[in-house]
Amino acid sequence: MTVLPQSFYSRPTDLVARDLVGRLLVRTLVAADGRKKRLSGIIVETEAYGHAGNDAASHACRGPTPRNRMMFGPVGRAYVYFTYGAHHCVNVSARPPDLPAGAVLIRGIEPVEGADHMALLRGTCDARLLASGPGRLAQAMAITLAHNGLDMTDPDSGLWIEEPGSGGKTRATVATPRIGITKAADKSWRFVDQSSPCISRRLRHARTHTHMCALPATRNKTS
DNA sequence: CGCTCGATATTCT
DNA sequence: GAATATCGAGCGA
């Protein structure tokens, strides 16, 4: 098992978001009998969020607050927040050393290990509704505010991202505008594996700026 | 299938 | 008071 190190996250946030698609999000739970249970899934959808200088849609765009402070700290840490008074969303902090803040929202996974347990936590077996969507993913992996700040480069934390094993395949990743935001809506900082059966039809068909490259070879200025 | 609406923490005006 | 990086129930076509 190869856990993604800090150096992976010490890069421009949109590149980190793009490169996280196809990698394995892992969570370990300790069962009643003391045994560790592994929940995991291939990341199929992410979004990059920046800082005051490059992203008006980011939680970090008005400086640090109690909620968003993990975006300003070391990279590779979990930034978990509670939104709409109902749902948790899971991010991992990522940014180059010379920029003040950044994080990648993990919006969807394709369950690999522990799908049965995820179904229990979610109350459904439908792959579309199991762990696709940031709120659903957090519930499927039992991630709450209690996990805010976990070091995701350290497996002892119980939450990390690693290189996929033999099941790993090349993913056709497409860049699109981000979902559910109004500011900076033209920025293509959402990355989806369009061949994933877990992404809902509506979101898979979200406008892909076709005049742009499928992969952000020509990135927008990030500083 | 697609639309509207409620829940309601955190932050900002 | 208003907006928000969401979801699911309810309703109509």
Side-chain angles (χ1 to χ4, degrees), chain A residues 5-177:
Chain A
Q6 273 213 335
S7 57
F8 181 92
Y9 302 104
S10 295
R11 298 183 293 142
T13 311
D14 54 335
L15 295 187
V16 176
R18 182 196 65 183
D19 291 347
L20 280 177
V21 174
R23 296 200 146 97
L24 193 69
L25 177 67
V26 187
R27 169 119 164 82
T28 50
L29 301 176
V30 181
D33 61 5
R35 284 166 40 101
K36 280 192 179 173
K37 168 119 182 164
R38 243 174 91 109
L39 305 182
S40 74
I42 294 289
I43 297 171
V44 293
E45 184 181 359
T46 63
E47 280 176 4
Y49 286 91
H51 57 93
N54 69 354
D55 188 9
S58 173
H59 283 172
C61 76
R62 288 184 202 81
T65 67
R67 176 175 71 166
N68 69 17
R69 65 194 170 90
M70 288 306 158
M71 292 183 74
F72 294 81
V75 299
R77 300 299 179 91
Y79 165 41
V80 183
Y81 67 90
F82 193 54
T83 191
Y84 288 100
H87 306 285
H88 297 278
C89 295
V90 183
N91 302 246
V92 55
S93 60
R95 63 187 164 88
D98 59 323
L99 296 181
V104 175
L105 172 65
I106 305 175
R107 288 186 57 93
I109 60 170
E110 237 175 68
V112 173
E113 299 164 276
D116 54 338
H117 197 76
M118 294 184 203
L120 214 60
L121 290 167
R122 287 276 307 125
T124 179
C125 291
D126 186 335
R128 288 259 179 98
L129 302 176
L130 209 49
S132 185
R136 297 179 187 132
L137 182 151
Q139 191 182 17
M141 291 217 135
I143 296 169
T144 68
L145 284 180
H147 307 102
N148 190 37
L150 285 184
D151 183 355
M152 292 179 66
T153 64
D154 177 10
D156 289 341
S157 70
L159 181 65
W160 70 92
I161 300 170
E162 64 183 43
E163 298 291 353
S166 52
K169 58 179 178 184
T170 305
R171 304 259 157 179
T173 307
V174 172
T176 82

